Amino acid sequence: MDTTTSLDGLVCADCEATHDPAATPRRCPDCGGVLRASYDAAAAAVTRESLAGARFDGLARFSDLLPFTADSLVTAGEGATPLVPAPEFAAELGVGAVYVKDEGANPTGTTADRGTALAVTAARDHGAEKVALPTTGDAGQSAAAYAARADLDSEAFVPTRSTFVAKAMTNVHGGDMSVVEGRYPDAVDAFEGAMSDDDNADWHSLAPFDTPYRHEGAKTLLFEVLEQLDWAVPDAVVHPTGHGLGVVGSHLATDQMQEAGLVDDAPALHVAQPEHCAPVVAADDAGDDNTEVWERPDTLIGALEVPDPAGGALALDAVRDTGGWAVGASDDDALEAAVQLNAEGIEASATGGVGAAAARELAADGHLGSDDTVVLVNPVAGTKENDVLRSHLMRKGV
């Protein structure tokens, strides 16, 4: 595996054992825990100036802070997404500034592209012939696209209620797809059954936190936010959350950026979930260290209907270590917040609306100050969830 000189190895989040990336494609072989990359910050030849000089190189310009060299990365030009000011929304919240990090500008219209780029690179380097994952939809399209870039096959296990766009584009990119009757946990069961089949021994898992690399790619979002704000650390970043890849990635980014001497402090990282599928919120409210399975998930925000998040414990760590909060939002409030951002010229998705609605709650509860700079992550292009947004307007008589 072709790695940068600053990568020390993979460290288990549970037992803290260190493993060789070339020999460890999935979870910790000792205890089954989630693996995270460990770096020698002093060996990373990265400065604010060096990053600015490679501004249009997407994720590749962060190669000193990633597990792969720029030349080895499977890329479709992901990253370098807009950070769009939302002054009207900021005025409503009563804060200094609101920016929307529009991840819909990624190649397949989703923030998943950041992690998929790295995870598919690792799969290729490990000699995989096929990558596979369970997904609520968007990550399946992303995996199919990046697998095609790496000349690999892909298989996505998606629930029937996944969006038509994600399912259609998975096939258009050349990916195989198993549409599973039911909801996301049913797709997970089908995926795990397929992975245990001896006939699929050459498959490489891209399931969330089953590979060390999807959360590694997710951290580049915050790298970019800091650049785009001229290295002024925002006061808050609000992540709509399913499995927790985004908020965990931002947590990794804050630690790494401070170790590299690029910033001195960290933003508060907030989790936002639909209130009828909010296992991280429930665990945070209860003071628990990990999430419990949400028994009756029921939300229109299908991308976030994840009742048993693979990164639940790590998401809670991210929130608590940075002084953040985990907040639930009703579907109606999320859709209305998304429509409001769209009325300001920002193409927010229903998924992004969950974060915007949560920010309203944070402001109302006094967790955001009048001078605060707040970043809302819009994880998915609005056009990928246009049917949900349009239905909301129709119910209002628009």
Side-chain angles (χ1 to χ4, degrees):
M1 183 178 296
D2 190 7
T3 62
T4 67
T5 56
S6 63
L7 180 68
D8 283 340
L10 299 174
V11 178
C12 179
D14 292 336
C15 72
E16 300 184 354
T18 299
H19 302 283
D20 178 3
T24 316
R26 295 183 68 182
R27 288 177 172 262
C28 175
D30 294 343
C31 73
V34 173
L35 294 177
R36 296 182 288 192
S38 174
Y39 299 87
D40 178 359
V46 59
T47 64
R48 295 182 181 183
E49 291 75 20
S50 69
L51 292 173
R55 175 118 17 213
F56 298 104
D57 290 344
L59 263 60
R61 74 184 185 280
F62 300 117
S63 59
D64 273 353
L65 303 172
L66 295 174
F68 307 104
T69 64
D71 291 341
S72 70
L73 187 65
V74 176
T75 179
E78 64 289 328
T81 58
L83 186 69
V84 187
E88 294 177 18
F89 201 75
E92 179 192 332
L93 296 188
V95 299
V98 169
Y99 294 90
V100 176
K101 183 61 169 167
D102 187 9
E103 291 292 275
N106 278 301
T108 75
T110 169
T111 193
D113 290 346
R114 295 178 182 273
T116 305
L118 268 65
V120 169
T121 299
R124 179 205 62 195
D125 290 355
H126 279 287
E129 296 182 12
K130 189 169 189 173
V131 296
L133 75 166
T135 171
T136 55
D138 293 320
Q141 177 185 345
S142 180
Y146 282 84
R149 302 286 289 179
D151 198 26
L152 302 178
D153 294 328
S154 71
E155 178 89 29
F157 293 81
V158 301
T160 48
R161 70 194 308 262
S162 176
T163 64
F164 172 79
V165 171
K167 288 186 285 193
M169 290 306 297
T170 297
N171 286 151
V172 170
H173 284 302
D176 295 325
M177 181 171 55
S178 296
V179 180
V180 182
E181 186 69 31
R183 295 178 181 265
Y184 178 67
D186 300 296
V188 173
D189 289 343
F191 160 78
E192 291 177 347
M195 288 295 293
S196 64
D197 190 325
D198 290 341
D199 290 339
N200 301 329
D202 62 338
W203 289 18
H204 187 102
S205 173
L206 299 191
F209 296 98
D210 208 16
T211 162
Y213 301 105
R214 285 184 64 184
H215 41 289
E216 276 294 296
K219 74 186 182 185
T220 60
L221 181 149
L222 191 60
F223 290 171
E224 290 179 6
V225 167
L226 294 170
E227 283 187 286
Q228 289 165 315
L229 293 177
D230 293 326
W231 301 102
V233 177
D235 298 282
V237 180
V238 184
H239 279 280
T241 298
H243 280 289
L245 287 164
V247 71
V248 171
S250 286
H251 193 204
L252 295 172
T254 60
D255 290 345
Q256 197 170 9
M257 282 293 193
Q258 289 178 85
E259 290 171 2
L262 293 166
V263 296
D264 294 327
D265 51 13
L269 300 177
H270 303 287
V271 157
Q273 295 191 295
E275 64 179 12
H276 292 300
C277 187
V280 177
V281 177
D284 190 43
D285 288 347
D288 295 337
D289 293 331
N290 204 347
T291 54
E292 295 185 0
V293 178
W294 194 271
E295 293 298 333
R296 296 181 181 273
D298 185 20
T299 173
L300 294 172
I301 319 299
L304 300 182
E305 196 179 81
V306 179
D308 189 13
L314 295 174
L316 289 164
D317 287 345
V319 168
R320 292 166 180 170
D321 287 353
T322 61
W325 295 83
V327 180
S330 72
D331 285 0
D332 281 346
D333 286 349
L335 294 170
E336 189 59 33
V339 167
Q340 183 172 341
L341 287 173
N342 275 273
E344 199 170 340
I346 301 168
E347 193 178 284
S349 60
T351 303
V354 175
R360 281 178 171 156
E361 294 296 322
L362 289 167
D365 291 343
H367 300 312
L368 300 177
S370 60
D371 294 326
D372 280 1
T373 295
V374 180
V375 174
L376 308 178
V377 178
N378 181 50
V380 184
T383 51
K384 297 190 73 165
E385 299 178 343
N386 57 350
D387 55 340
V388 181
L389 296 173
R390 181 59 185 152
S391 295
H392 176 70
L393 290 179
M394 293 174 67
R395 289 198 303 271
K396 295 175 62 181
V398 177

